Amino acid sequence: DTEVTQTPKHLVMGMTNKKSLKCEQHMGHRAMYWYKQKAKKPPELMFVYSYEKLSINESVPSRFSPECPNSSLLNLHLHALQPEDSALYLCASSQEVRLAGTGNEQFFGPGTRLTVL
Amino acid sequence: GQNIDQPTEMTATEGAIVQINCTYQTSGFNGLFWYQQHAGEAPTFLSYNVLDGLEEKGRFSSFLSRSKGYSYLLLKELQMKDSASYLCAANTGGFKTIFGAGTRLFVKA
């Protein structure tokens, strides 16, 4: 299984709502990532988990709260978002250890398209 | 600072060859990736270079010059389905990868 799955595919929420994005992979990868991508812009790294521990937080506002319940799952909890947070949210995973001659290339899920009203 | 530059758009003809260039300036460097992204879809991995030189993978090849901070992606025998954005991305150390803005390639018949 070389797939990263994400749910939901689309999400519309108001600024007072609380919602969660989910990501799952079964490739045995121990590094998992959240990216935010606006239209015609590159993906921007938000968070990285390594062995279920938060490794990188790119100064993301606290209205985004990541969670890694186990090695296969990654969640992103959303609360009190702003309209400018509307974007495609991408989850990715990679190997923890880079083998000689290979990169820790990331496998991306299809993304959740989020609209904040 | 960290910077990745690549052309915004390119157009090429079906069956032709196209080269997409990328220059990078990063505080650390552990390899250069190329990803393909179709509109509204997730990026998919194409290639990885960490040493200078050319890596060939079927119709796609990627080149890296570390001393020049330069890479290119070469696509041969272009097909209509190759119309997509091509993202150049640099691993700057550990798990950090920064992406260029992408080059939108249009393949015409």
Side-chain angles (χ1 to χ4, degrees):
Chain A
D1 186 358
T2 58
E3 198 181 34
V4 177
T5 58
Q6 288 187 245
T7 55
K9 203 165 180 170
H10 300 275
L11 179 62
V12 180
M13 60 187 289
M15 289 190 284
T16 58
N17 292 156
K18 279 186 186 182
K19 296 286 184 184
S20 296
L21 309 184
K22 296 188 184 302
C23 173
E24 191 167 1
Q25 58 87 15
H26 295 288
M27 293 179 278
H29 290 169
R30 303 307 294 269
M32 296 186 76
Y33 311 70
W34 280 116
Y35 287 87
K36 172 182 176 180
Q37 187 177 27
K38 293 273 211 180
K40 297 183 183 178
K41 298 286 187 187
E44 292 176 13
L45 183 64
M46 300 174 72
F47 303 104
V48 181
Y49 273 81
S50 171
Y51 285 94
E52 296 98 69
K53 291 194 177 355
L54 185 62
S55 176
I56 295 175
N57 176 344
E58 290 286 271
S59 304
V60 179
S62 59
R63 57 186 184 269
F64 295 91
S65 174
E67 180 199 16
C68 191
N70 61 53
S71 60
S72 300
L73 292 173
L74 186 66
N75 299 323
L76 186 63
H77 302 298
L78 314 172
H79 174 54
L81 294 194
Q82 304 296 310
E84 60 263 28
D85 296 321
S86 298
L88 182 68
Y89 287 84
L90 294 165
C91 173
S93 70
S94 73
Q95 292 177 357
E96 160 67 19
V97 175
R98 190 182 314 124
L99 302 174
T102 70
N104 59 337
E105 56 265 24
Q106 295 171 38
F107 292 78
F108 285 84
T112 293
R113 188 158 299 283
L114 174 68
T115 304
V116 182
L117 301 175
Chain B
Q2 319 256 56
N3 198 46
I4 297 185
D5 285 316
Q6 49 182 133
T8 307
E9 283 185 7
M10 297 182 73
T11 301
T13 305
E14 197 175 15
I17 298 173
V18 71
Q19 178 175 311
I20 303 175
N21 296 324
C22 168
T23 57
Y24 63 90
Q25 286 177 300
T26 56
S27 52
F29 181 77
N30 272 340
L32 196 290
F33 299 89
W34 284 95
Y35 288 85
Q36 180 191 60
Q37 187 175 25
H38 285 97
E41 297 182 11
T44 54
F45 168 74
L46 289 178
S47 69
Y48 170 72
N49 295 69
V50 67
L51 299 176
D52 286 359
L54 188 68
E55 295 280 342
E56 297 189 73
K57 229 189 222 186
R59 293 191 300 117
F60 291 9
S61 304
S62 57
F63 171 83
L64 177 68
S65 168
R66 293 177 69 127
S67 61
K68 295 191 166 97
Y70 168 70
S71 173
Y72 67 73
L73 180 70
L74 194 71
L75 292 79
K76 301 175 193 171
E77 299 166 21
L78 278 175
Q79 302 174 9
M80 300 298 285
K81 67 178 183 180
D82 297 329
S83 293
S85 282
Y86 291 86
L87 303 170
C88 175
N91 181 280
T92 60
F95 294 110
K96 280 205 178 184
T97 298
I98 59 168
F99 287 80
T103 298
R104 272 179 291 153
L105 175 66
F106 299 96
V107 180
K108 57 182 184 176

Tab-separated table of all heavy atoms in Angstrom, chain A residues 43-82:
chain	number	residue	atom	x	y	z
A	43	PRO	N	3.480	24.379	-1.740
A	43	PRO	CA	3.092	23.916	-0.396
A	43	PRO	C	3.996	24.563	0.658
A	43	PRO	O	5.209	24.674	0.470
A	43	PRO	CB	3.326	22.404	-0.458
A	43	PRO	CG	3.383	22.065	-1.911
A	43	PRO	CD	3.924	23.273	-2.601
A	44	GLU	N	3.381	24.980	1.769
A	44	GLU	CA	4.133	25.565	2.884
A	44	GLU	C	4.068	24.613	4.066
A	44	GLU	O	2.975	24.230	4.502
A	44	GLU	CB	3.526	26.905	3.304
A	44	GLU	CG	3.671	27.999	2.279
A	44	GLU	CD	2.958	29.268	2.727
A	44	GLU	OE1	2.569	29.362	3.910
A	44	GLU	OE2	2.778	30.160	1.881
A	45	LEU	N	5.226	24.261	4.579
A	45	LEU	CA	5.274	23.332	5.702
A	45	LEU	C	4.650	23.956	6.948
A	45	LEU	O	4.927	25.115	7.274
A	45	LEU	CB	6.729	22.953	5.984
A	45	LEU	CG	6.964	21.929	7.084
A	45	LEU	CD1	6.361	20.576	6.715
A	45	LEU	CD2	8.459	21.791	7.384
A	46	MET	N	3.801	23.159	7.618
A	46	MET	CA	3.202	23.604	8.879
A	46	MET	C	3.811	22.834	10.053
A	46	MET	O	4.340	23.414	10.987
A	46	MET	CB	1.690	23.383	8.853
A	46	MET	CG	0.951	24.129	7.757
A	46	MET	SD	-0.796	23.674	7.702
A	46	MET	CE	-1.421	24.480	9.167
A	47	PHE	N	3.676	21.507	10.020
A	47	PHE	CA	4.113	20.654	11.126
A	47	PHE	C	4.775	19.400	10.579
A	47	PHE	O	4.437	18.919	9.501
A	47	PHE	CB	2.915	20.205	11.986
A	47	PHE	CG	2.085	21.300	12.565
A	47	PHE	CD1	0.850	21.617	12.015
A	47	PHE	CD2	2.517	22.005	13.684
A	47	PHE	CE1	0.059	22.630	12.547
A	47	PHE	CE2	1.736	23.010	14.227
A	47	PHE	CZ	0.507	23.329	13.656
A	48	VAL	N	5.706	18.852	11.392
A	48	VAL	CA	6.289	17.546	11.113
A	48	VAL	C	6.256	16.730	12.393
A	48	VAL	O	6.628	17.227	13.463
A	48	VAL	CB	7.747	17.632	10.615
A	48	VAL	CG1	8.280	16.226	10.315
A	48	VAL	CG2	7.854	18.504	9.388
A	49	TYR	N	5.791	15.491	12.279
A	49	TYR	CA	5.871	14.530	13.373
A	49	TYR	C	6.880	13.449	13.003
A	49	TYR	O	6.893	12.956	11.881
A	49	TYR	CB	4.506	13.878	13.621
A	49	TYR	CG	3.636	14.648	14.568
A	49	TYR	CD1	2.905	15.748	14.123
A	49	TYR	CD2	3.560	14.309	15.921
A	49	TYR	CE1	2.113	16.483	14.997
A	49	TYR	CE2	2.772	15.027	16.795
A	49	TYR	CZ	2.056	16.115	16.327
A	49	TYR	OH	1.282	16.845	17.194
A	50	SER	N	7.706	13.100	13.982
A	50	SER	CA	8.658	12.022	13.814
A	50	SER	C	8.473	11.054	14.974
A	50	SER	O	8.568	11.473	16.133
A	50	SER	CB	10.088	12.581	13.803
A	50	SER	OG	11.033	11.546	13.854
A	51	TYR	N	8.210	9.810	14.657
A	51	TYR	CA	7.917	8.817	15.696
A	51	TYR	C	6.862	9.334	16.674
A	51	TYR	O	7.032	9.270	17.899
A	51	TYR	CB	9.200	8.404	16.435
A	51	TYR	CG	10.077	7.493	15.632
A	51	TYR	CD1	11.114	8.006	14.865
A	51	TYR	CD2	9.855	6.125	15.618
A	51	TYR	CE1	11.916	7.169	14.102
A	51	TYR	CE2	10.655	5.278	14.855
A	51	TYR	CZ	11.676	5.815	14.104
A	51	TYR	OH	12.472	4.976	13.348
A	52	GLU	N	5.782	9.846	16.113
A	52	GLU	CA	4.607	10.330	16.844
A	52	GLU	C	4.896	11.529	17.751
A	52	GLU	O	4.036	11.905	18.561
A	52	GLU	CB	3.957	9.208	17.685
A	52	GLU	CG	3.406	8.059	16.850
A	52	GLU	CD	4.365	6.886	16.780
A	52	GLU	OE1	4.566	6.224	17.800
A	52	GLU	OE2	4.929	6.645	15.679
A	53	LYS	N	6.073	12.111	17.626
A	53	LYS	CA	6.376	13.315	18.422
A	53	LYS	C	6.516	14.521	17.500
A	53	LYS	O	7.110	14.412	16.411
A	53	LYS	CB	7.660	13.112	19.215
A	53	LYS	CG	7.543	12.105	20.328
A	53	LYS	CD	8.708	12.200	21.281
A	53	LYS	CE	8.628	11.267	22.473
A	53	LYS	NZ	7.458	10.472	22.672
A	54	LEU	N	6.015	15.666	17.952
A	54	LEU	CA	6.099	16.869	17.143
A	54	LEU	C	7.563	17.282	17.023
A	54	LEU	O	8.235	17.555	18.019
A	54	LEU	CB	5.272	17.994	17.788
A	54	LEU	CG	5.175	19.289	16.981
A	54	LEU	CD1	4.482	19.063	15.647
A	54	LEU	CD2	4.448	20.363	17.794
A	55	SER	N	8.030	17.344	15.794
A	55	SER	CA	9.432	17.645	15.530
A	55	SER	C	9.607	19.078	15.028
A	55	SER	O	10.592	19.733	15.334
A	55	SER	CB	9.953	16.647	14.484
A	55	SER	OG	11.266	16.936	14.117
A	56	ILE	N	8.673	19.535	14.220
A	56	ILE	CA	8.759	20.881	13.654
A	56	ILE	C	7.382	21.538	13.716
A	56	ILE	O	6.371	20.939	13.351
A	56	ILE	CB	9.226	20.851	12.177
A	56	ILE	CG1	10.660	20.319	12.076
A	56	ILE	CG2	9.131	22.242	11.538
A	56	ILE	CD1	11.160	20.148	10.649
A	57	ASN	N	7.356	22.773	14.201
A	57	ASN	CA	6.170	23.628	14.146
A	57	ASN	C	6.654	24.929	13.535
A	57	ASN	O	7.443	25.645	14.144
A	57	ASN	CB	5.606	23.852	15.548
A	57	ASN	CG	4.427	24.821	15.555
A	57	ASN	OD1	4.192	25.557	14.600
A	57	ASN	ND2	3.674	24.813	16.636
A	58	GLU	N	6.216	25.223	12.318
A	58	GLU	CA	6.700	26.397	11.606
A	58	GLU	C	5.928	27.644	12.027
A	58	GLU	O	5.347	28.353	11.186
A	58	GLU	CB	6.596	26.178	10.087
A	58	GLU	CG	7.565	25.159	9.542
A	58	GLU	CD	8.991	25.679	9.488
A	58	GLU	OE1	9.393	26.277	8.481
A	58	GLU	OE2	9.714	25.485	10.499
A	59	SER	N	5.910	27.885	13.330
A	59	SER	CA	5.246	29.087	13.868
A	59	SER	C	3.807	29.202	13.377
A	59	SER	O	3.354	30.279	12.962
A	59	SER	CB	6.024	30.366	13.478
A	59	SER	OG	7.346	30.284	13.902
A	60	VAL	N	3.104	28.087	13.444
A	60	VAL	CA	1.718	28.061	12.976
A	60	VAL	C	0.809	28.589	14.092
A	60	VAL	O	1.008	28.249	15.270
A	60	VAL	CB	1.314	26.618	12.613
A	60	VAL	CG1	-0.137	26.547	12.149
A	60	VAL	CG2	2.250	26.062	11.533
A	61	PRO	N	-0.192	29.407	13.755
A	61	PRO	CA	-1.104	29.919	14.797
A	61	PRO	C	-1.785	28.789	15.558
A	61	PRO	O	-2.045	27.708	15.010
A	61	PRO	CB	-2.136	30.724	13.982
A	61	PRO	CG	-1.462	31.043	12.701
A	61	PRO	CD	-0.497	29.936	12.426
A	62	SER	N	-2.086	29.059	16.823
A	62	SER	CA	-2.618	28.006	17.701
A	62	SER	C	-4.030	27.555	17.320
A	62	SER	O	-4.515	26.562	17.855
A	62	SER	CB	-2.616	28.495	19.150
A	62	SER	OG	-3.412	29.655	19.264
A	63	ARG	N	-4.669	28.250	16.398
A	63	ARG	CA	-5.989	27.788	15.951
A	63	ARG	C	-5.864	26.491	15.115
A	63	ARG	O	-6.860	25.850	14.821
A	63	ARG	CB	-6.715	28.887	15.159
A	63	ARG	CG	-5.980	29.416	13.944
A	63	ARG	CD	-6.763	30.598	13.362
A	63	ARG	NE	-6.179	31.103	12.132
A	63	ARG	CZ	-5.284	32.069	12.085
A	63	ARG	NH1	-4.870	32.645	13.192
A	63	ARG	NH2	-4.799	32.477	10.916
A	64	PHE	N	-4.630	26.140	14.754
A	64	PHE	CA	-4.334	24.848	14.135
A	64	PHE	C	-3.630	23.990	15.183
A	64	PHE	O	-2.568	24.382	15.695
A	64	PHE	CB	-3.402	25.006	12.933
A	64	PHE	CG	-4.003	25.773	11.797
A	64	PHE	CD1	-3.836	27.149	11.718
A	64	PHE	CD2	-4.723	25.126	10.803
A	64	PHE	CE1	-4.388	27.864	10.660
A	64	PHE	CE2	-5.274	25.828	9.744
A	64	PHE	CZ	-5.103	27.207	9.676
A	65	SER	N	-4.182	22.809	15.465
A	65	SER	CA	-3.606	21.965	16.500
A	65	SER	C	-3.394	20.560	15.954
A	65	SER	O	-4.357	19.846	15.675
A	65	SER	CB	-4.548	21.937	17.707
A	65	SER	OG	-4.093	21.031	18.669
A	66	PRO	N	-2.136	20.139	15.760
A	66	PRO	CA	-1.904	18.807	15.210
A	66	PRO	C	-1.929	17.747	16.300
A	66	PRO	O	-1.716	18.035	17.480
A	66	PRO	CB	-0.501	18.936	14.617
A	66	PRO	CG	0.189	19.904	15.534
A	66	PRO	CD	-0.865	20.854	16.012
A	67	GLU	N	-2.156	16.509	15.849
A	67	GLU	CA	-2.158	15.378	16.775
A	67	GLU	C	-1.745	14.130	16.008
A	67	GLU	O	-2.181	13.941	14.861
A	67	GLU	CB	-3.564	15.178	17.358
A	67	GLU	CG	-3.680	14.029	18.339
A	67	GLU	CD	-5.113	13.575	18.541
A	67	GLU	OE1	-5.987	13.930	17.708
A	67	GLU	OE2	-5.364	12.843	19.510
A	68	CYS	N	-0.915	13.310	16.652
A	68	CYS	CA	-0.487	12.067	16.009
A	68	CYS	C	-0.804	10.913	16.954
A	68	CYS	O	0.029	10.548	17.781
A	68	CYS	CB	1.005	12.127	15.693
A	68	CYS	SG	1.588	10.804	14.622
A	69	PRO	N	-1.999	10.331	16.864
A	69	PRO	CA	-2.420	9.304	17.819
A	69	PRO	C	-1.602	8.013	17.736
A	69	PRO	O	-1.413	7.340	18.744
A	69	PRO	CB	-3.874	9.015	17.441
A	69	PRO	CG	-4.283	10.067	16.477
A	69	PRO	CD	-3.043	10.637	15.883
A	70	ASN	N	-1.133	7.677	16.531
A	70	ASN	CA	-0.259	6.508	16.366
A	70	ASN	C	0.543	6.668	15.090
A	70	ASN	O	0.412	7.674	14.385
A	70	ASN	CB	-1.068	5.200	16.374
A	70	ASN	CG	-2.075	5.123	15.248
A	70	ASN	OD1	-1.722	5.308	14.085
A	70	ASN	ND2	-3.342	4.864	15.578
A	71	SER	N	1.353	5.679	14.773
A	71	SER	CA	2.306	5.836	13.671
A	71	SER	C	1.646	5.927	12.305
A	71	SER	O	2.289	6.309	11.330
A	71	SER	CB	3.308	4.680	13.681
A	71	SER	OG	2.635	3.450	13.525
A	72	SER	N	0.354	5.586	12.213
A	72	SER	CA	-0.317	5.604	10.909
A	72	SER	C	-1.248	6.800	10.726
A	72	SER	O	-1.690	7.058	9.609
A	72	SER	CB	-1.165	4.333	10.736
A	72	SER	OG	-0.352	3.194	10.801
A	73	LEU	N	-1.559	7.477	11.818
A	73	LEU	CA	-2.584	8.518	11.764
A	73	LEU	C	-2.034	9.883	12.119
A	73	LEU	O	-1.183	10.021	12.999
A	73	LEU	CB	-3.714	8.184	12.749
A	73	LEU	CG	-4.570	6.960	12.421
A	73	LEU	CD1	-5.527	6.682	13.576
A	73	LEU	CD2	-5.349	7.165	11.137
A	74	LEU	N	-2.566	10.885	11.437
A	74	LEU	CA	-2.221	12.269	11.734
A	74	LEU	C	-3.488	13.100	11.612
A	74	LEU	O	-4.209	12.979	10.625
A	74	LEU	CB	-1.160	12.786	10.745
A	74	LEU	CG	-0.574	14.160	10.989
A	74	LEU	CD1	0.247	14.177	12.271
A	74	LEU	CD2	0.301	14.582	9.814
A	75	ASN	N	-3.763	13.896	12.625
A	75	ASN	CA	-4.942	14.756	12.612
A	75	ASN	C	-4.524	16.218	12.647
A	75	ASN	O	-3.438	16.562	13.133
A	75	ASN	CB	-5.840	14.477	13.825
A	75	ASN	CG	-6.360	13.061	13.856
A	75	ASN	OD1	-6.675	12.485	12.816
A	75	ASN	ND2	-6.445	12.479	15.045
A	76	LEU	N	-5.407	17.070	12.148
A	76	LEU	CA	-5.220	18.513	12.295
A	76	LEU	C	-6.541	19.079	12.780
A	76	LEU	O	-7.541	19.054	12.058
A	76	LEU	CB	-4.806	19.151	10.960
A	76	LEU	CG	-4.438	20.629	11.014
A	76	LEU	CD1	-3.207	20.853	11.906
A	76	LEU	CD2	-4.156	21.194	9.615
A	77	HIS	N	-6.542	19.550	14.032
A	77	HIS	CA	-7.748	20.101	14.635
A	77	HIS	C	-7.809	21.599	14.349
A	77	HIS	O	-6.810	22.309	14.505
A	77	HIS	CB	-7.753	19.838	16.142
A	77	HIS	CG	-7.655	18.382	16.484
A	77	HIS	ND1	-8.610	17.457	16.101
A	77	HIS	CD2	-6.680	17.678	17.129
A	77	HIS	CE1	-8.257	16.257	16.521
A	77	HIS	NE2	-7.086	16.360	17.151
A	78	LEU	N	-8.993	22.032	13.936
A	78	LEU	CA	-9.186	23.417	13.507
A	78	LEU	C	-10.209	24.104	14.397
A	78	LEU	O	-11.280	23.537	14.674
A	78	LEU	CB	-9.705	23.429	12.056
A	78	LEU	CG	-8.992	22.516	11.058
A	78	LEU	CD1	-9.737	22.504	9.726
A	78	LEU	CD2	-7.548	22.943	10.887
A	79	HIS	N	-9.897	25.309	14.834
A	79	HIS	CA	-10.819	26.031	15.712
A	79	HIS	C	-10.644	27.526	15.514
A	79	HIS	O	-9.525	28.030	15.522
A	79	HIS	CB	-10.531	25.652	17.168
A	79	HIS	CG	-11.334	26.461	18.139
A	79	HIS	ND1	-12.706	26.569	18.098
A	79	HIS	CD2	-10.944	27.229	19.197
A	79	HIS	CE1	-13.128	27.348	19.072
A	79	HIS	NE2	-12.094	27.763	19.756
A	80	ALA	N	-11.764	28.210	15.329
A	80	ALA	CA	-11.761	29.672	15.190
A	80	ALA	C	-10.885	30.112	14.018
A	80	ALA	O	-10.047	31.022	14.162
A	80	ALA	CB	-11.312	30.345	16.497
A	81	LEU	N	-11.061	29.473	12.897
A	81	LEU	CA	-10.258	29.834	11.731
A	81	LEU	C	-10.746	31.134	11.101
A	81	LEU	O	-11.862	31.595	11.357
A	81	LEU	CB	-10.314	28.712	10.687
A	81	LEU	CG	-9.666	27.383	11.072
A	81	LEU	CD1	-9.494	26.512	9.836
A	81	LEU	CD2	-8.333	27.579	11.762
A	82	GLN	N	-9.898	31.698	10.270
A	82	GLN	CA	-10.184	32.929	9.559
A	82	GLN	C	-10.380	32.615	8.068
A	82	GLN	O	-9.861	31.618	7.566
A	82	GLN	CB	-9.015	33.908	9.709
A	82	GLN	CG	-8.657	34.217	11.155
A	82	GLN	CD	-9.788	34.939	11.872
A	82	GLN	OE1	-10.313	35.924	11.370
A	82	GLN	NE2	-10.174	34.439	13.043
